[in-house]
Amino acid sequence: MMRRSALFLGSVPVMKNLINGKLVESKATKFFDIYNPATGEVIAKTPQSTPEELHQALEGCVEAQKTWAEVSVPNRVRVMLNYQKLIRDHTDELAKLITMEQGKTLNDAAGDVFRGLEVVEHTASMGSLLMGETLENVSSHMDTYSFRYPLGVTAGICPFNFPAMCCLWMFPVAVTAGNSMLVKPSEKVPHTAMRLGELALEAGLPAGIVNMVHGGPDTVNFICDAEPIRAISFVGGNSAGDYIYQRGAANGKRVQANCGAKNHCIIMPDADKEQAINAVIGAACGACGQRCMALSVAILVGEAKEWLPEICAKAAELKPDVGTKNPPFGPIITKQARDRAIKLIDDSEKQGAKVLVDGRKCSVEGFPNGFWIGSSVVADVTTDMPCYQEELFAPVLAVITADSLDEGLDIISKNPYGNGAAIFTQSGAAARKFQHEVAAGQIGINVPIPVPLPMFSFTGSRKSFRGENHFYGKMGVNFYTDTKTIVSNWNPNNAKKSKVMTDFPIFKQ
């Protein structure tokens, strides 16, 4: 294990940067507080890395990638095989870090690590994923074939809600494809990403292939503007995602940006009632609602409207607590996030919504300063209310009623987001209609959170995604690589038949 990843500012540790295989103290003068959401205490500080530190880290990525790109694919894969073993061995440690700085329950935090681990495991397929295409005899004695090449230096900007998983969506795919990556962990939850960076070095990843630098908007702007960076991966909200996409693209970079969401589910009257209610409440409240695939809107169709009391009863059973106790869910990330969610509920209530389960005044014994918000169910919601218009990122389920599947689909299609949607039904015809017509990129049929495994890709759409190639899977490899297509002519009769051609070539033989 490397030396500790923080120095101290007074009694509070300050995170260090990871540059060229070493933990480096920042000379920053500006810092961001890192909280334990369960206690409300500042547990560390994240520095705003200086311009000199950012340039040093980027230059290290540039130089290291030149050699790394020439390492054989099987040997790059072997590093990832070492890495997945280390992640598996250190899952408990990583989960405790996530619980400390993000607030998730230990079980949920271990799931955060595991879903990232699956992406690392899938990089063992990189030999197949990087294979090009070949066609012999496109013309007489002429062949065409293609290869995939690494872009060079890439960058990752990570979110607070999945400190392990989203970080592992990014650099393992990028580096196994032959790139280097400059990673900016979330300034709210940097401990987990830093530990993942240390483990990558222990696995045999050369120094400089993954450098990690801290900061806020200044670091983001550096990444968007730095000429050597060819591609940017981002997960977060729409305000930042739209900005990064526009600024990065304006500087000629590829950008994949997973942004906000408003995921709906339709509950049909023929659904398995107990399974549907358990699934929806779990998906709405799990991780304190801080998932981009959380189900935050339930559309009850027809007689399913009568299930509302049972939905409320199930939600009311779920109480937050300190993540180390493995309660149903933990605290929200910051006081500001809690206050924002409460205001959205307040404003919707003023417009006529009914708060049937109210978590706004939630408290947890022994932790009076934690950032607590309880599970909430808001009924009689209309699509112009704040709790519907905004992504709450809190354990809140907004309930809408509809008379038919068509009406429910129309509600979803008019919402601008397209991360995911789900239907609960026993009708194959209804399920088929839903998957074909719903305006979302990831569809669950009797599945509340349909996040694809790494052999597929995370395919949010519309306002939930900016870019062309999605995260991980084949699309992720496409994002981090360029294609070279070669046309070769080894005709032994070229010398005899050769002549000047000024017309556009048409191959007839």
Side-chain angles (χ1 to χ4, degrees), residues 348-502:
S348 299
E349 187 177 34
K350 292 173 184 177
Q351 294 181 21
K354 295 180 180 178
V355 183
L356 302 181
V357 180
D358 194 346
R360 287 174 288 184
K361 296 181 180 180
C362 176
S363 62
V364 173
E365 185 177 355
F367 296 89
N369 298 318
F371 309 136
W372 305 109
I373 181 169
S375 55
S376 301
V377 177
V378 185
D380 292 350
V381 172
T382 58
T383 57
D384 59 346
M385 289 181 178
C387 71
Y388 181 84
Q389 290 284 323
E390 299 289 334
E391 183 179 27
L392 282 97
F393 239 48
V396 182
L397 181 67
V399 179
I400 298 175
T401 59
D403 293 328
S404 66
L405 175 57
D406 283 327
E407 184 181 349
L409 284 166
D410 185 61
I411 291 170
I412 297 174
S413 70
K414 289 179 179 176
N415 187 278
Y417 294 100
N419 233 17
I423 186 171
F424 293 89
T425 181
Q426 297 301 308
S427 167
R432 177 64 173 77
K433 178 181 175 68
F434 180 83
Q435 75 174 41
H436 184 66
E437 297 183 13
V438 72
Q442 296 165 121
I443 314 304
I445 298 174
N446 298 319
V447 174
I449 306 177
V451 176
L453 291 175
M455 59 286 295
F456 295 90
S457 297
F458 191 100
T459 53
S461 63
R462 299 197 291 155
K463 194 176 179 181
S464 295
F465 180 72
R466 296 289 183 260
E468 294 180 2
N469 282 301
H470 292 280
F471 281 85
Y472 61 78
K474 293 179 182 177
M475 294 186 187
V477 174
N478 289 348
F479 179 75
Y480 292 122
T481 55
D482 273 332
T483 301
K484 287 185 180 180
T485 304
I486 298 95
V487 181
S488 67
N489 180 355
W490 292 106
N491 190 331
N493 298 316
N494 271 345
K496 299 177 183 178
K497 297 182 178 180
S498 179
K499 63 179 181 179
V500 175
M501 292 181 59
T502 58

Side-chain angles (χ1 to χ4, degrees), residues 4-235:
R4 64 190 184 195
S5 58
L7 59 111
F8 282 79
L9 184 64
S11 60
V12 180
V14 178
M15 301 304 298
K16 297 177 183 179
N17 290 318
L18 179 59
I19 301 176
N20 300 335
K22 298 179 180 179
L23 292 168
V24 180
E25 296 180 5
S26 176
K27 297 180 180 179
T29 58
K30 178 181 178 181
F31 302 89
F32 303 89
D33 289 337
I34 305 168
Y35 292 91
N36 180 329
T39 65
E41 297 173 328
V42 175
I43 57 173
K45 289 182 179 290
T46 300
Q48 173 52 61
S49 300
T50 67
E52 294 76 17
E53 291 160 357
L54 296 175
H55 281 287
Q56 180 188 5
L58 177 58
E59 290 166 6
C61 286
V62 171
E63 291 304 312
Q65 193 274 334
K66 294 175 183 177
T67 303
W68 180 244
E70 301 303 321
V71 173
S72 70
V73 176
N75 279 316
R76 297 201 298 257
V77 165
R78 289 183 185 107
V79 174
M80 289 298 110
L81 292 174
N82 293 338
Y83 191 40
Q84 63 83 26
K85 176 65 164 55
L86 285 170
I87 293 172
R88 196 179 295 276
D89 291 345
H90 290 266
T91 292
D92 289 347
E93 176 195 351
L94 291 163
K96 289 176 183 177
L97 287 174
I98 293 170
T99 297
M100 175 189 71
E101 64 183 354
Q102 203 275 343
K104 289 185 183 184
T105 69
L106 284 172
N107 286 342
D108 195 32
D112 184 335
V113 176
F114 185 78
R115 292 307 295 265
L117 170 63
E118 290 180 312
V119 176
V120 179
E121 291 173 335
H122 192 243
T123 62
S125 303
M126 194 60 70
S128 298
L129 294 169
L130 284 174
M131 289 177 69
E133 299 172 310
T134 302
L135 182 60
E136 188 179 40
N137 279 338
V138 294
S139 183
S140 180
H141 300 283
M142 187 175 289
D143 307 324
T144 300
Y145 44 96
S146 65
F147 297 111
R148 290 200 169 277
Y149 285 79
L151 297 177
V153 181
T154 61
I157 301 172
C158 302
F160 76 82
N161 59 327
F162 282 94
M165 183 183 75
C166 289
C167 188
L168 294 173
W169 281 5
M170 299 178 189
F171 78 77
V173 181
V175 304
T176 314
N179 302 283
S180 60
M181 179 172 274
L182 184 65
V183 176
K184 189 198 91 66
S186 167
E187 64 274 19
K188 295 181 177 71
V189 293
H191 291 87
T192 308
M194 292 298 294
R195 188 70 185 113
L196 288 169
E198 293 174 8
L199 291 174
L201 291 169
E202 290 182 35
L205 197 68
I209 296 301
V210 173
N211 283 339
M212 294 187 171
V213 289
H214 298 294
D218 289 348
T219 304
V220 170
N221 288 337
F222 174 83
I223 288 171
C224 290
D225 296 344
E227 186 175 348
I229 294 174
R230 293 283 311 282
I232 303 171
S233 299
F234 167 83
V235 178

